[in-house]
Amino acid sequence: MDDRSALVAPDTSTATDADAQAALADIERLGGQLRAARTSIGKVIYGQQDVIDQTLVALLSGGHLLLIGVPGLAKTKLVDTLGVVLGMEAKRIQFTPDLMPADILGSEVLEESEGGRRTFRFLQGPVFAQLLMADEINRASPRTQSALLQSMQERHVTVAGKRYDLPAPFHVLATQNPLEQEGTYPLPEAQLDRFLLQVDVGYPDEEAERQIMIGTTGAEQAVATQALSPGDLMAAQALVRRLPIGESVVDAILKLVRAGRPEHTDLDIVRQRVAWGPGPRASQAFMLACRARAIIQGRLAPSVDDVVALAGPILRHRMAVNFSARAEGVTVESVIAQMCARLG
């Protein structure tokens, strides 16, 4: 036997065990911080625990979030509260049809010094924030939406040929009113795909609405407190990517995403009723979001249940049914439900 093999392959079991213990300690510490964050947010946002959890999943995954719901469901309040709880610089843009790209990105202004020398200086727009709320994003023109799209994907903007990096972390939380039709511009598929999750915000239940009535109309109102810092969030995002994920979960993701594509599926409802299906970004979103959801719930590894739970938020804005499906009342949600049923 060649004795050189002992020199080539040293024993790394001790190092591996130490790394595993360190990762476990990081996950437990992060779990405590997230529980404190959820409690702090819950003091201000009533009856929307699923929305809060999915928002935290998106932020832990390093992605952007699209919130869809009728007015008055605390979508704007949620973003303001997140800025406080996470210690992030938050800004808000109210999208309107006359909003221009420079209103978001910023612009160059001509300044004259005391010596008479003229130079251009860049004035940063509201996109230069760690947490940006794009309120009623579908009211802006496609030209303005395209300016925001570069920010979301590239994490920098280009003005007058110069690149300006955005702060880190950088997250866009956009809201959209499903009831508005006039004066709106539907988001293009390429921009929708940049949102990690689409969260549908529903009405609170009766008990939560009672809490809203009492808690928000009195002399004193609850105030959220900071639970994490931007540095903690970035460390948590790195930790999410280190979390192991089993082959069964990877197979479930592949099976689910590919089943939603009319060209590849063996499901009749998808072949006949779906106009276009999810792309590879959906698979990437599942890989990150499932890990984040597991950490939020105090687990050390994601499961197939996480894939099923996140199927709606990840897929509903990455798929579309055709005209015949809409005529027959078939929705994207019903198609996703049949796709998930196959995971068993």
Side-chain angles (χ1 to χ4, degrees), residues 23-314:
L24 180 60
D26 289 341
I27 292 173
E28 291 177 348
R29 175 179 52 80
L30 175 59
Q33 291 176 320
L34 291 174
R35 285 191 292 272
R38 294 176 70 203
T39 301
S40 183
I41 297 172
K43 293 178 181 178
V44 180
I45 307 297
Y46 302 97
Q48 299 286 4
Q49 192 59 57
D50 288 342
V51 175
I52 294 173
D53 289 345
Q54 291 175 18
T55 302
L56 291 175
V57 165
L59 296 179
L60 282 179
S61 302
H64 309 292
L65 185 71
L66 180 62
L67 297 165
I68 296 184
V70 299
L73 297 181
K75 300 186 295 298
T76 303
K77 187 68 173 178
L78 173 61
V79 179
D80 293 338
T81 304
L82 283 171
V84 174
V85 173
L86 301 179
M88 299 170 70
E89 180 188 9
K91 294 182 180 179
R92 176 178 177 268
I93 303 174
Q94 179 64 51
F95 278 65
T96 57
D98 60 347
L99 195 71
M100 299 299 292
D103 298 326
I104 296 176
L105 306 181
S107 59
E108 289 190 325
V109 296
L110 184 64
E111 290 185 338
E112 184 174 350
S113 65
E114 294 180 357
R117 184 180 178 181
R118 295 180 178 181
T119 57
F120 284 99
R121 182 167 68 93
F122 177 65
L123 296 180
Q124 294 182 352
V127 75
F128 287 86
Q130 294 174 320
L131 190 64
L132 177 66
M133 179 177 187
D135 210 355
E136 296 184 307
I137 187 173
N138 57 329
R139 283 193 171 275
S141 66
R143 181 182 179 184
T144 302
Q145 289 178 3
S146 66
L148 182 62
L149 175 61
Q150 181 194 15
S151 306
M152 294 170 58
Q153 183 64 22
E154 307 297 338
R155 309 296 170 111
H156 69 260
V157 301
T158 304
V159 178
K162 294 182 181 180
R163 167 175 168 161
Y164 300 92
D165 292 328
L166 296 173
F170 174 72
H171 298 278
V172 174
L173 273 65
T175 68
Q176 185 172 318
N177 185 348
L179 302 181
E180 294 173 328
Q181 299 296 332
E182 296 184 6
T184 61
Y185 301 86
L187 300 183
E189 291 79 4
Q191 187 168 4
L192 285 172
D193 202 22
R194 263 65 175 188
F195 288 102
L196 186 84
L197 304 179
Q198 175 186 310
V199 177
D200 291 343
V201 185
Y203 291 108
D205 58 29
E206 183 176 348
E207 182 57 32
E209 192 161 359
R210 181 186 298 273
Q211 293 178 345
I212 293 172
M213 293 168 55
I214 297 174
T216 61
T217 59
E220 296 183 1
Q221 298 186 20
V223 179
T225 57
Q226 183 174 346
L228 287 88
S229 68
D232 293 332
L233 178 61
M234 295 178 67
Q237 292 170 352
L239 181 61
V240 165
R241 292 177 175 269
R242 291 166 50 198
L243 198 71
I245 187 166
E247 283 296 326
S248 60
V249 179
V250 174
D251 292 341
I253 292 172
L254 280 173
K255 181 178 180 181
L256 183 63
V257 172
R258 296 183 67 84
R261 300 170 184 166
E263 300 85 356
H264 302 145
T265 187
D266 57 354
L267 278 173
D268 291 338
I269 189 172
V270 175
R271 279 202 310 267
Q272 299 171 6
R273 297 291 184 262
V274 173
W276 48 273
R281 281 199 188 95
S283 303
Q284 295 171 324
F286 271 115
M287 291 290 286
L288 292 172
C290 288
R291 291 167 166 148
R293 186 174 188 267
I295 291 179
I296 289 175
Q297 295 190 351
R299 292 179 281 114
L300 301 181
S303 66
V304 176
D305 291 339
D306 295 314
V307 179
V308 175
L310 291 166
I314 290 177

Side-chain angles (χ1 to χ4, degrees), residues 309-327:
L310 291 166
I314 290 177
L315 295 179
R316 64 169 61 107
H317 61 296
R318 292 185 168 96
M319 299 176 61
V321 294
N322 54 31
F323 177 78
S324 62
R326 293 195 298 270

